[in-house]
Amino acid sequence: MEKSKNNWYGIEGIEFIYHGEWSDPEICYKNHVVNCHDIEDGMWEEYLEYLKENGVHLTEEEMNENFGNYMLRNKEEVYSLFEDMIADDYGKE
């Protein structure tokens, strides 16, 4: 397991955890760990909606390149998604 010393997408307080290519990466925030795809997928949908609402037309490559900037600009939403997952006891049976 490898923890990134850098913040995930440049978002302070969220740590990226890489388990290797055979396992999904995770992120840690306030000592809670979740699958990073769960947050990314939700933010990706919001990103696509934002582009559509604002009439922005990008190639797939441009969308992928700009997604990180979108994440950083909307870090409060990322924190909110994470807080919701924590409140819903994410990952507990």
Side-chain angles (χ1 to χ4, degrees):
M1 175 175 72
E2 177 183 324
K3 285 190 174 184
S4 171
K5 296 183 191 272
N6 298 323
N7 296 316
W8 187 59
Y9 285 105
I11 303 171
E12 189 173 323
I14 299 181
E15 190 173 22
F16 181 78
I17 305 167
Y18 180 70
H19 297 285
E21 64 183 68
W22 296 102
S23 182
D24 286 347
E26 297 175 309
I27 49 178
C28 180
Y29 175 64
K30 293 185 177 180
N31 294 319
H32 293 274
V33 177
V34 302
N35 183 313
C36 81
H37 297 307
D38 291 339
I39 301 287
E40 282 178 325
D41 290 349
M43 289 302 293
W44 182 259
E45 291 302 316
E46 289 186 23
Y47 176 54
L48 294 178
E49 188 63 31
Y50 166 82
L51 294 175
K52 182 179 176 182
E53 287 176 0
N54 290 285
V56 178
H57 302 284
L58 301 173
T59 66
E60 185 174 336
E61 183 177 329
E62 290 170 327
M63 285 191 315
N64 290 330
E65 289 173 1
N66 291 313
F67 181 63
N69 293 329
Y70 178 82
M71 292 283 283
L72 187 55
R73 282 193 320 269
N74 292 280
K75 64 185 175 190
E76 295 304 321
E77 180 64 24
V78 173
Y79 292 137
S80 179
L81 283 173
F82 220 122
E83 292 286 347
D84 290 347
M85 292 175 83
I86 292 168
D88 291 340
D89 288 330
Y90 172 87
K92 293 185 180 174
E93 297 178 20

Coordinates of all heavy atoms in Angstrom, one line a residue:
M1 N 0.8 -1.2 0.0 CA 0.0 0.0 0.0 C 0.9 1.2 0.0 O 1.9 1.3 0.7 CB -0.9 0.0 1.2 CG -1.7 1.2 1.4 SD -2.9 1.2 2.8 CE -1.8 1.4 4.1
E2 N 0.5 2.2 -0.8 CA 1.3 3.4 -0.9 C 0.4 4.6 -0.7 O -0.6 4.8 -1.4 CB 1.9 3.5 -2.4 CG 2.7 4.7 -2.6 CD 3.2 4.8 -4.1 OE1 3.5 3.7 -4.6 OE2 3.2 5.8 -4.6
K3 N 0.7 5.4 0.3 CA 0.0 6.6 0.5 C 0.7 7.8 -0.1 O 1.9 7.9 -0.1 CB -0.1 6.9 2.0 CG -1.1 6.0 2.7 CD -1.4 6.5 4.1 CE -2.5 5.7 4.8 NZ -2.8 6.3 6.1
S4 N -0.1 8.6 -0.7 CA 0.5 9.8 -1.4 C 0.7 10.9 -0.4 O -0.2 11.2 0.5 CB -0.5 10.3 -2.5 OG 0.0 11.6 -3.0
K5 N 1.9 11.5 -0.4 CA 2.1 12.6 0.5 C 1.4 13.9 -0.1 O 1.3 14.9 0.7 CB 3.6 12.8 0.6 CG 4.3 11.7 1.3 CD 5.8 11.9 1.5 CE 6.5 10.7 1.9 NZ 6.6 10.4 3.3
N6 N 1.1 13.8 -1.3 CA 0.3 15.0 -1.9 C -1.1 14.8 -1.6 O -1.6 13.8 -1.4 CB 0.6 15.0 -3.4 CG 2.0 15.2 -3.8 OD1 2.8 15.9 -3.1 ND2 2.5 14.5 -4.8
N7 N -1.8 15.9 -1.7 CA -3.3 15.9 -1.5 C -3.9 15.5 -2.8 O -3.5 15.8 -3.9 CB -3.8 17.3 -1.1 CG -3.2 17.7 0.3 OD1 -3.1 16.9 1.2 ND2 -2.7 18.9 0.4
W8 N -5.0 14.7 -2.7 CA -5.8 14.2 -3.8 C -6.3 15.3 -4.6 O -7.1 16.2 -4.1 CB -6.8 13.3 -3.3 CG -7.6 12.5 -4.3 CD1 -7.1 11.6 -5.2 CD2 -9.0 12.5 -4.5 NE1 -8.1 11.0 -5.9 CE2 -9.3 11.6 -5.5 CE3 -10.1 13.2 -3.9 CZ2 -10.6 11.3 -5.9 CZ3 -11.3 12.9 -4.3 CH2 -11.6 12.0 -5.3
Y9 N -6.0 15.4 -5.9 CA -6.4 16.5 -6.8 C -6.0 17.8 -6.3 O -6.6 18.9 -6.7 CB -7.9 16.4 -7.1 CG -8.3 15.3 -8.1 CD1 -9.0 14.2 -7.6 CD2 -8.1 15.4 -9.4 CE1 -9.4 13.2 -8.4 CE2 -8.5 14.4 -10.3 CZ -9.1 13.3 -9.8 OH -9.5 12.3 -10.7
G10 N -5.1 17.9 -5.4 CA -4.7 19.2 -4.8 C -5.6 19.6 -3.7 O -5.5 20.7 -3.2
I11 N -6.5 18.7 -3.3 CA -7.5 19.1 -2.2 C -6.9 18.8 -0.9 O -6.6 17.6 -0.6 CB -8.8 18.4 -2.4 CG1 -9.4 18.7 -3.8 CG2 -9.8 18.7 -1.3 CD1 -10.6 17.8 -4.2
E12 N -6.7 19.8 -0.1 CA -6.1 19.7 1.2 C -6.9 18.7 2.1 O -8.1 18.8 2.2 CB -6.0 21.0 1.9 CG -5.2 21.1 3.1 CD -5.0 22.5 3.6 OE1 -4.8 23.4 2.8 OE2 -5.0 22.6 4.8
G13 N -6.2 17.9 2.8 CA -6.8 17.0 3.8 C -7.3 15.7 3.3 O -7.8 14.8 4.0
I14 N -7.2 15.4 2.0 CA -7.7 14.2 1.4 C -6.4 13.5 0.9 O -5.7 14.0 0.0 CB -8.7 14.3 0.3 CG1 -10.0 15.0 0.9 CG2 -9.1 13.0 -0.3 CD1 -11.1 15.2 -0.2
E15 N -6.2 12.3 1.4 CA -5.0 11.5 1.1 C -5.3 10.4 0.1 O -6.3 9.7 0.3 CB -4.4 11.0 2.4 CG -3.1 10.4 2.3 CD -2.5 10.0 3.7 OE1 -3.3 9.9 4.6 OE2 -1.3 9.9 3.8
F16 N -4.5 10.2 -0.9 CA -4.7 9.1 -1.9 C -3.9 7.9 -1.5 O -2.8 8.0 -1.1 CB -4.2 9.6 -3.3 CG -4.4 8.6 -4.4 CD1 -5.6 8.4 -4.9 CD2 -3.3 7.9 -4.8 CE1 -5.8 7.5 -6.0 CE2 -3.5 7.0 -5.9 CZ -4.7 6.8 -6.4
I17 N -4.6 6.7 -1.5 CA -4.0 5.5 -1.1 C -4.0 4.5 -2.3 O -5.1 4.2 -2.8 CB -4.7 4.8 0.1 CG1 -4.8 5.8 1.2 CG2 -4.0 3.5 0.5 CD1 -5.7 5.4 2.3
Y18 N -2.9 4.1 -2.8 CA -2.8 3.2 -4.0 C -2.4 1.8 -3.5 O -1.4 1.7 -2.8 CB -1.7 3.8 -4.9 CG -1.5 3.0 -6.2 CD1 -2.5 2.9 -7.1 CD2 -0.4 2.3 -6.4 CE1 -2.4 2.2 -8.3 CE2 -0.2 1.5 -7.5 CZ -1.2 1.5 -8.5 OH -1.0 0.7 -9.6
H19 N -3.2 0.8 -3.9 CA -2.9 -0.6 -3.5 C -2.3 -1.4 -4.6 O -2.2 -2.6 -4.4 CB -4.2 -1.2 -3.0 CG -4.9 -0.6 -1.8 ND1 -4.4 -0.8 -0.5 CD2 -5.9 0.2 -1.7 CE1 -5.1 -0.1 0.3 NE2 -6.1 0.5 -0.4
G20 N -2.0 -0.8 -5.7 CA -1.5 -1.5 -6.8 C -2.5 -1.6 -7.9 O -3.7 -1.3 -7.7
E21 N -2.2 -2.1 -9.0 CA -3.1 -2.1 -10.2 C -4.2 -3.1 -10.1 O -5.2 -3.0 -10.8 CB -2.3 -2.4 -11.5 CG -1.6 -3.8 -11.5 CD -0.8 -4.0 -12.8 OE1 0.3 -3.3 -12.9 OE2 -1.2 -4.8 -13.6
W22 N -4.2 -4.1 -9.1 CA -5.2 -5.1 -9.0 C -6.3 -4.7 -8.0 O -7.2 -5.5 -7.8 CB -4.6 -6.4 -8.7 CG -3.8 -6.9 -9.8 CD1 -2.4 -6.9 -9.8 CD2 -4.2 -7.4 -11.0 NE1 -1.9 -7.4 -11.0 CE2 -3.0 -7.7 -11.8 CE3 -5.4 -7.7 -11.6 CZ2 -3.0 -8.2 -13.1 CZ3 -5.4 -8.2 -12.9 CH2 -4.3 -8.5 -13.6
S23 N -6.2 -3.5 -7.4 CA -7.2 -3.1 -6.4 C -7.5 -1.6 -6.6 O -6.7 -0.9 -7.1 CB -6.6 -3.3 -5.0 OG -7.5 -3.0 -4.1
D24 N -8.8 -1.3 -6.3 CA -9.2 0.1 -6.5 C -8.4 1.0 -5.5 O -8.3 0.6 -4.3 CB -10.7 0.3 -6.2 CG -11.5 -0.2 -7.4 OD1 -11.0 -0.5 -8.5 OD2 -12.8 -0.4 -7.2
P25 N -8.0 2.2 -5.9 CA -7.4 3.1 -5.0 C -8.5 3.6 -4.0 O -9.7 3.6 -4.3 CB -6.9 4.2 -5.9 CG -7.6 4.1 -7.1 CD -8.1 2.7 -7.3
E26 N -8.0 4.1 -2.9 CA -8.9 4.7 -1.9 C -8.4 6.1 -1.5 O -7.3 6.5 -1.9 CB -8.8 3.8 -0.6 CG -9.4 2.4 -0.9 CD -9.3 1.5 0.4 OE1 -8.1 1.5 0.9 OE2 -10.3 0.9 0.7
I27 N -9.3 6.8 -0.9 CA -8.9 8.1 -0.3 C -9.3 8.2 1.1 O -10.2 7.5 1.6 CB -9.5 9.3 -1.1 CG1 -11.0 9.1 -1.3 CG2 -8.8 9.5 -2.4 CD1 -11.7 10.2 -2.0
C28 N -8.5 8.9 1.9 CA -8.7 9.0 3.3 C -9.0 10.5 3.7 O -8.2 11.4 3.3 CB -7.5 8.5 4.1 SG -7.6 8.6 5.9
Y29 N -10.0 10.7 4.5 CA -10.4 12.1 4.9 C -10.9 11.9 6.3 O -11.8 11.1 6.6 CB -11.4 12.7 4.0 CG -12.0 14.0 4.4 CD1 -11.2 15.1 4.4 CD2 -13.3 14.1 4.7 CE1 -11.7 16.4 4.8 CE2 -13.9 15.4 5.0 CZ -13.1 16.5 5.1 OH -13.6 17.7 5.4
K30 N -10.4 12.7 7.2 CA -10.8 12.6 8.6 C -10.8 11.2 9.2 O -11.7 10.8 9.8 CB -12.2 13.3 8.8 CG -12.2 14.8 8.6 CD -13.6 15.3 8.9 CE -13.5 16.8 8.7 NZ -14.9 17.4 9.0
N31 N -9.8 10.5 8.8 CA -9.6 9.1 9.3 C -10.6 8.1 8.8 O -10.8 7.0 9.3 CB -9.5 9.0 10.8 CG -8.2 9.7 11.3 OD1 -7.2 9.6 10.7 ND2 -8.4 10.4 12.4
H32 N -11.4 8.5 7.7 CA -12.3 7.6 7.1 C -11.8 7.3 5.7 O -11.3 8.2 5.0 CB -13.7 8.2 7.0 CG -14.3 8.4 8.3 ND1 -15.1 7.5 8.9 CD2 -14.3 9.5 9.1 CE1 -15.5 7.9 10.1 NE2 -15.1 9.2 10.2
V33 N -11.9 6.0 5.3 CA -11.3 5.6 4.0 C -12.5 5.1 3.1 O -13.3 4.4 3.5 CB -10.3 4.5 4.2 CG1 -9.8 4.0 2.8 CG2 -9.1 4.9 5.0
V34 N -12.5 5.6 1.9 CA -13.5 5.2 0.9 C -12.8 4.9 -0.5 O -11.7 5.4 -0.7 CB -14.6 6.3 0.7 CG1 -15.3 6.6 2.0 CG2 -14.1 7.5 0.1
N35 N -13.5 4.2 -1.3 CA -13.0 3.9 -2.6 C -13.1 5.3 -3.4 O -14.1 5.9 -3.4 CB -14.0 2.9 -3.3 CG -13.6 2.5 -4.7 OD1 -13.2 3.4 -5.5 ND2 -13.6 1.2 -5.0
C36 N -12.0 5.7 -4.0 CA -11.9 7.0 -4.6 C -12.8 7.1 -5.8 O -13.3 8.2 -6.1 CB -10.5 7.4 -5.0 SG -9.8 6.7 -6.5
H37 N -13.2 5.9 -6.4 CA -14.1 6.0 -7.6 C -15.5 6.4 -7.2 O -16.2 7.0 -8.0 CB -14.1 4.6 -8.3 CG -12.8 4.2 -8.9 ND1 -12.1 5.0 -9.7 CD2 -12.1 3.1 -8.7 CE1 -11.0 4.3 -10.1 NE2 -11.0 3.2 -9.4
D38 N -15.9 6.1 -5.9 CA -17.2 6.5 -5.5 C -17.3 8.1 -5.5 O -18.4 8.6 -5.9 CB -17.5 6.0 -4.1 CG -17.7 4.5 -4.1 OD1 -17.9 3.9 -5.2 OD2 -17.5 3.9 -3.0
I39 N -16.3 8.7 -5.1 CA -16.3 10.2 -5.1 C -16.1 10.7 -6.5 O -16.8 11.6 -7.0 CB -15.2 10.8 -4.2 CG1 -15.4 10.3 -2.7 CG2 -15.1 12.3 -4.3 CD1 -16.5 11.0 -2.0
E40 N -15.2 10.2 -7.2 CA -14.9 10.6 -8.6 C -16.1 10.5 -9.5 O -16.4 11.3 -10.3 CB -13.7 9.8 -9.2 CG -12.4 10.3 -8.7 CD -11.2 9.5 -9.3 OE1 -11.4 8.3 -9.5 OE2 -10.2 10.1 -9.6
D41 N -16.8 9.3 -9.4 CA -18.0 9.1 -10.2 C -19.0 10.1 -10.0 O -19.6 10.7 -10.9 CB -18.5 7.7 -10.0 CG -17.6 6.6 -10.6 OD1 -16.6 6.9 -11.3 OD2 -17.9 5.4 -10.2
G42 N -19.3 10.5 -8.7 CA -20.3 11.5 -8.4 C -19.9 12.9 -8.9 O -20.7 13.6 -9.5
M43 N -18.6 13.2 -8.8 CA -18.1 14.5 -9.2 C -18.1 14.5 -10.8 O -18.3 15.6 -11.4 CB -16.8 14.8 -8.6 CG -16.8 15.1 -7.1 SD -17.9 16.5 -6.7 CE -17.0 17.9 -7.5
W44 N -17.8 13.4 -11.4 CA -17.7 13.4 -12.9 C -19.1 13.7 -13.4 O -19.2 14.4 -14.4 CB -17.3 12.0 -13.4 CG -17.2 11.9 -14.9 CD1 -18.0 11.3 -15.7 CD2 -16.1 12.5 -15.7 NE1 -17.6 11.5 -17.0 CE2 -16.4 12.2 -17.0 CE3 -14.9 13.2 -15.4 CZ2 -15.6 12.5 -18.1 CZ3 -14.1 13.5 -16.5 CH2 -14.5 13.2 -17.8
E45 N -20.2 13.1 -12.8 CA -21.5 13.4 -13.3 C -21.9 14.9 -13.1 O -22.5 15.5 -14.0 CB -22.5 12.5 -12.5 CG -22.5 11.1 -12.9 CD -22.7 10.8 -14.3 OE1 -23.6 11.4 -14.9 OE2 -21.9 9.9 -14.9
E46 N -21.4 15.5 -12.0 CA -21.7 16.9 -11.8 C -20.9 17.7 -12.8 O -21.4 18.8 -13.3 CB -21.3 17.3 -10.4 CG -22.3 16.8 -9.4 CD -22.0 17.3 -8.0 OE1 -21.3 18.4 -7.9 OE2 -22.4 16.6 -7.0
Y47 N -19.7 17.3 -13.1 CA -18.8 18.0 -14.1 C -19.5 18.0 -15.5 O -19.5 19.0 -16.2 CB -17.5 17.2 -14.2 CG -16.5 17.7 -15.2 CD1 -16.1 19.0 -15.3 CD2 -15.9 16.8 -16.0 CE1 -15.1 19.5 -16.2 CE2 -14.9 17.2 -16.9 CZ -14.5 18.5 -17.0 OH -13.6 18.9 -17.9
L48 N -20.0 16.8 -15.9 CA -20.7 16.7 -17.2 C -21.9 17.6 -17.3 O -22.1 18.3 -18.3 CB -21.1 15.3 -17.5 CG -19.9 14.3 -17.7 CD1 -20.5 12.9 -18.0 CD2 -19.0 14.7 -18.8
E49 N -22.6 17.7 -16.2 CA -23.8 18.5 -16.1 C -23.4 20.0 -16.2 O -24.0 20.8 -16.8 CB -24.6 18.3 -14.8 CG -25.9 19.0 -14.7 CD -26.9 18.5 -15.8 OE1 -26.9 17.4 -16.2 OE2 -27.7 19.4 -16.2
Y50 N -22.3 20.4 -15.5 CA -21.8 21.7 -15.5 C -21.4 22.1 -16.9 O -21.8 23.2 -17.4 CB -20.6 21.8 -14.6 CG -19.7 23.1 -14.8 CD1 -20.1 24.3 -14.2 CD2 -18.6 23.1 -15.6 CE1 -19.4 25.4 -14.4 CE2 -17.9 24.2 -15.8 CZ -18.2 25.4 -15.2 OH -17.5 26.5 -15.4
L51 N -20.7 21.2 -17.6 CA -20.3 21.5 -19.0 C -21.5 21.7 -19.9 O -21.6 22.7 -20.7 CB -19.5 20.4 -19.6 CG -18.1 20.2 -18.9 CD1 -17.4 18.9 -19.5 CD2 -17.2 21.4 -19.1
K52 N -22.5 20.9 -19.7 CA -23.8 20.9 -20.5 C -24.5 22.2 -20.3 O -24.9 22.9 -21.2 CB -24.6 19.7 -20.2 CG -25.9 19.7 -21.0 CD -26.7 18.4 -20.7 CE -28.0 18.4 -21.4 NZ -28.8 17.3 -21.0
E53 N -24.7 22.6 -19.0 CA -25.4 23.8 -18.6 C -24.8 25.0 -19.1 O -25.4 26.0 -19.4 CB -25.6 23.8 -17.1 CG -26.6 22.9 -16.5 CD -26.6 22.9 -15.0 OE1 -25.8 23.7 -14.4 OE2 -27.4 22.1 -14.4
N54 N -23.4 25.0 -19.2 CA -22.7 26.2 -19.6 C -22.3 26.2 -21.1 O -21.6 27.0 -21.6 CB -21.5 26.3 -18.7 CG -21.8 26.7 -17.3 OD1 -22.2 27.9 -17.1 ND2 -21.8 25.8 -16.4
G55 N -22.8 25.2 -21.8 CA -22.6 25.1 -23.3 C -21.1 24.9 -23.6 O -20.7 25.4 -24.7
V56 N -20.4 24.2 -22.8 CA -19.0 24.0 -23.0 C -18.8 22.7 -23.8 O -19.3 21.6 -23.3 CB -18.2 23.9 -21.7 CG1 -16.7 23.6 -22.0 CG2 -18.3 25.2 -20.9
H57 N -18.2 22.7 -24.9 CA -18.0 21.5 -25.7 C -16.5 21.2 -25.7 O -15.7 22.0 -26.2 CB -18.5 21.7 -27.1 CG -19.9 22.1 -27.1 ND1 -20.9 21.2 -26.9 CD2 -20.6 23.3 -27.3 CE1 -22.1 21.8 -27.0 NE2 -21.9 23.1 -27.2
L58 N -16.1 20.1 -25.1 CA -14.7 19.7 -25.1 C -14.6 18.3 -25.7 O -15.5 17.5 -25.6 CB -14.2 19.6 -23.6 CG -14.3 20.9 -22.8 CD1 -14.0 20.6 -21.3 CD2 -13.4 22.0 -23.4
T59 N -13.4 18.0 -26.1 CA -13.1 16.6 -26.6 C -13.0 15.7 -25.3 O -12.8 16.3 -24.2 CB -11.8 16.5 -27.4 OG1 -10.7 16.8 -26.5 CG2 -11.8 17.4 -28.6
E60 N -13.1 14.4 -25.5 CA -12.9 13.5 -24.3 C -11.6 13.8 -23.6 O -11.5 13.8 -22.4 CB -13.0 12.1 -24.7 CG -13.0 11.1 -23.6 CD -13.3 9.7 -24.0 OE1 -13.9 9.5 -25.1 OE2 -12.8 8.8 -23.3
E61 N -10.5 14.0 -24.4 CA -9.2 14.2 -23.8 C -9.2 15.6 -23.0 O -8.6 15.6 -21.9 CB -8.2 14.3 -25.0 CG -6.7 14.5 -24.5 CD -5.7 14.5 -25.6 OE1 -5.9 13.8 -26.6 OE2 -4.7 15.2 -25.4
E62 N -9.8 16.6 -23.6 CA -9.9 17.9 -22.9 C -10.7 17.8 -21.6 O -10.3 18.3 -20.5 CB -10.5 19.0 -23.8 CG -9.6 19.4 -24.9 CD -10.4 20.3 -25.9 OE1 -11.6 20.1 -26.1 OE2 -9.7 21.1 -26.5
M63 N -11.8 17.0 -21.6 CA -12.6 16.8 -20.4 C -11.7 16.1 -19.3 O -11.8 16.5 -18.2 CB -13.8 15.9 -20.7 CG -14.9 16.7 -21.4 SD -16.5 15.9 -21.6 CE -16.1 14.2 -22.0
N64 N -11.0 15.1 -19.7 CA -10.2 14.4 -18.8 C -9.1 15.3 -18.2 O -8.8 15.2 -17.0 CB -9.6 13.1 -19.4 CG -10.6 12.0 -19.7 OD1 -11.6 11.9 -18.9 ND2 -10.4 11.2 -20.7
E65 N -8.5 16.1 -19.1 CA -7.4 17.0 -18.6 C -7.9 18.0 -17.7 O -7.2 18.4 -16.7 CB -6.8 17.7 -19.8 CG -5.9 16.7 -20.7 CD -5.4 17.4 -21.9 OE1 -5.7 18.6 -22.2 OE2 -4.7 16.7 -22.7
N66 N -9.2 18.5 -17.9 CA -9.7 19.6 -17.1 C -10.5 19.1 -15.8 O -10.8 20.0 -15.0 CB -10.7 20.5 -17.9 CG -9.9 21.2 -19.0 OD1 -8.9 21.8 -18.7 ND2 -10.4 21.2 -20.2
F67 N -10.7 17.8 -15.7 CA -11.5 17.3 -14.6 C -10.8 17.6 -13.2 O -11.4 18.0 -12.3 CB -11.7 15.8 -14.7 CG -12.5 15.2 -13.6 CD1 -13.8 15.6 -13.3 CD2 -12.0 14.3 -12.8 CE1 -14.6 15.1 -12.3 CE2 -12.7 13.7 -11.7 CZ -14.0 14.1 -11.5
G68 N -9.5 17.5 -13.2 CA -8.7 17.8 -12.0 C -8.9 19.2 -11.5 O -9.1 19.5 -10.3
N69 N -8.9 20.2 -12.4 CA -9.2 21.6 -12.1 C -10.6 21.7 -11.6 O -10.8 22.5 -10.6 CB -9.0 22.5 -13.3 CG -7.5 22.5 -13.8 OD1 -6.6 22.4 -12.9 ND2 -7.3 22.7 -15.0
Y70 N -11.5 21.1 -12.2 CA -12.9 21.1 -11.7 C -13.0 20.6 -10.3 O -13.7 21.2 -9.4 CB -13.8 20.3 -12.6 CG -15.3 20.3 -12.2 CD1 -16.1 21.4 -12.5 CD2 -15.8 19.3 -11.4 CE1 -17.5 21.4 -12.1 CE2 -17.1 19.3 -11.0 CZ -17.9 20.3 -11.3 OH -19.2 20.3 -10.9
M71 N -12.4 19.5 -10.0 CA -12.4 18.9 -8.7 C -11.8 19.9 -7.6 O -12.4 20.1 -6.6 CB -11.5 17.6 -8.6 CG -12.1 16.5 -9.4 SD -13.5 15.7 -8.5 CE -12.6 14.7 -7.3
L72 N -10.7 20.5 -8.0 CA -10.1 21.5 -7.0 C -11.0 22.7 -6.8 O -11.1 23.2 -5.7 CB -8.7 21.9 -7.5 CG -7.9 22.8 -6.6 CD1 -7.7 22.1 -5.2 CD2 -6.5 23.0 -7.2
R73 N -11.6 23.2 -7.9 CA -12.5 24.4 -7.8 C -13.7 24.1 -7.0 O -14.3 25.0 -6.4 CB -12.9 24.9 -9.2 CG -11.8 25.7 -9.9 CD -12.4 26.4 -11.1 NE -13.4 25.7 -11.9 CZ -13.1 24.9 -12.9 NH1 -11.8 24.7 -13.3 NH2 -14.0 24.2 -13.6
N74 N -14.1 22.8 -7.0 CA -15.3 22.4 -6.3 C -15.0 21.5 -5.1 O -15.8 20.6 -4.8 CB -16.2 21.7 -7.3 CG -16.8 22.6 -8.3 OD1 -17.7 23.4 -8.1 ND2 -16.1 22.6 -9.5
K75 N -13.9 21.8 -4.4 CA -13.5 21.0 -3.3 C -14.5 20.9 -2.2 O -14.6 19.9 -1.5 CB -12.1 21.4 -2.8 CG -12.1 22.8 -2.2 CD -10.7 23.2 -1.8 CE -10.6 24.6 -1.4 NZ -9.3 25.1 -1.2
E76 N -15.3 22.0 -2.0 CA -16.3 22.0 -1.0 C -17.4 20.9 -1.3 O -17.9 20.3 -0.3 CB -17.0 23.4 -0.8 CG -16.0 24.4 -0.3 CD -15.3 24.1 1.0 OE1 -16.0 23.5 1.9 OE2 -14.1 24.4 1.2
E77 N -17.7 20.7 -2.5 CA -18.6 19.6 -2.9 C -18.0 18.3 -2.7 O -18.7 17.3 -2.2 CB -19.0 19.8 -4.4 CG -20.0 18.7 -4.8 CD -21.3 18.8 -4.1 OE1 -21.7 19.8 -3.6 OE2 -22.0 17.7 -4.1
V78 N -16.7 18.1 -2.9 CA -16.0 16.9 -2.6 C -16.0 16.6 -1.1 O -16.4 15.5 -0.7 CB -14.5 17.0 -3.1 CG1 -13.7 15.7 -2.7 CG2 -14.5 17.1 -4.7
Y79 N -15.7 17.6 -0.3 CA -15.8 17.4 1.1 C -17.2 17.0 1.5 O -17.4 16.1 2.4 CB -15.5 18.7 1.9 CG -14.0 19.1 1.8 CD1 -13.7 20.5 1.6 CD2 -13.0 18.2 1.9 CE1 -12.4 20.9 1.5 CE2 -11.6 18.6 1.9 CZ -11.3 20.0 1.7 OH -10.0 20.4 1.6
S80 N -18.2 17.7 0.9 CA -19.6 17.4 1.2 C -20.0 15.9 0.9 O -20.7 15.2 1.7 CB -20.5 18.3 0.5 OG -21.9 18.1 0.8
L81 N -19.6 15.5 -0.3 CA -19.8 14.1 -0.7 C -19.2 13.1 0.3 O -19.8 12.1 0.7 CB -19.3 13.8 -2.1 CG -20.1 14.3 -3.2 CD1 -19.3 14.1 -4.5 CD2 -21.5 13.6 -3.3
F82 N -18.0 13.4 0.7 CA -17.3 12.6 1.7 C -18.0 12.6 3.0 O -18.2 11.5 3.6 CB -15.8 13.1 1.9 CG -14.8 12.0 2.0 CD1 -13.8 11.9 1.1 CD2 -14.9 11.0 3.0 CE1 -12.8 10.9 1.2 CE2 -14.0 10.0 3.1 CZ -12.9 10.0 2.2
E83 N -18.4 13.7 3.5 CA -19.1 13.9 4.8 C -20.4 13.1 4.7 O -20.8 12.4 5.7 CB -19.4 15.3 5.1 CG -18.2 16.1 5.4 CD -17.6 15.9 6.8 OE1 -18.2 15.2 7.6 OE2 -16.5 16.3 7.0
D84 N -21.1 13.1 3.6 CA -22.4 12.3 3.4 C -22.1 10.8 3.5 O -22.9 10.1 4.1 CB -23.1 12.6 2.1 CG -23.7 14.0 2.0 OD1 -23.8 14.7 3.1 OD2 -24.0 14.5 0.9
M85 N -21.0 10.4 2.9 CA -20.7 9.0 3.0 C -20.3 8.6 4.4 O -20.7 7.5 4.8 CB -19.5 8.7 2.0 CG -19.9 8.8 0.6 SD -18.5 8.6 -0.5 CE -18.4 6.8 -0.6
I86 N -19.6 9.4 5.1 CA -19.3 9.1 6.5 C -20.6 9.1 7.3 O -20.7 8.1 8.1 CB -18.3 10.2 7.1 CG1 -17.0 10.1 6.4 CG2 -18.2 10.1 8.6 CD1 -16.0 11.3 6.6
A87 N -21.5 10.0 7.1 CA -22.7 10.0 7.9 C -23.6 8.8 7.6 O -24.3 8.4 8.5 CB -23.5 11.3 7.6
D88 N -23.5 8.3 6.4 CA -24.3 7.1 6.0 C -23.6 5.8 6.4 O -24.0 4.7 5.9 CB -24.6 7.1 4.5 CG -25.5 8.2 4.1 OD1 -26.2 8.7 5.0 OD2 -25.5 8.6 2.9
D89 N -22.5 5.9 7.2 CA -21.7 4.7 7.6 C -21.2 3.9 6.4 O -21.4 2.7 6.3 CB -22.5 3.8 8.5 CG -22.7 4.4 9.9 OD1 -21.8 5.2 10.3 OD2 -23.7 4.1 10.5
Y90 N -20.7 4.6 5.4 CA -20.1 4.0 4.2 C -19.2 2.8 4.6 O -18.4 2.9 5.4 CB -19.3 5.0 3.4 CG -18.5 4.5 2.3 CD1 -19.1 4.4 1.0 CD2 -17.2 4.0 2.4 CE1 -18.4 3.9 -0.1 CE2 -16.5 3.5 1.3 CZ -17.1 3.4 0.1 OH -16.4 2.9 -1.0
G91 N -19.5 1.7 3.9 CA -18.7 0.5 4.0 C -19.0 -0.4 5.2 O -18.4 -1.4 5.4
K92 N -19.9 0.1 6.0 CA -20.3 -0.8 7.2 C -21.5 -1.6 6.9 O -22.4 -1.1 6.2 CB -20.5 0.1 8.4 CG -19.3 0.9 8.9 CD -19.5 1.6 10.1 CE -18.2 2.3 10.5 NZ -18.4 3.2 11.6
E93 N -21.5 -2.8 7.4 CA -22.6 -3.7 7.1 C -23.6 -3.7 8.3 O -23.3 -3.5 9.4 CB -22.1 -5.1 6.8 CG -21.3 -5.1 5.6 CD -20.7 -6.5 5.3 OE1 -21.2 -7.5 5.8 OE2 -19.7 -6.6 4.6

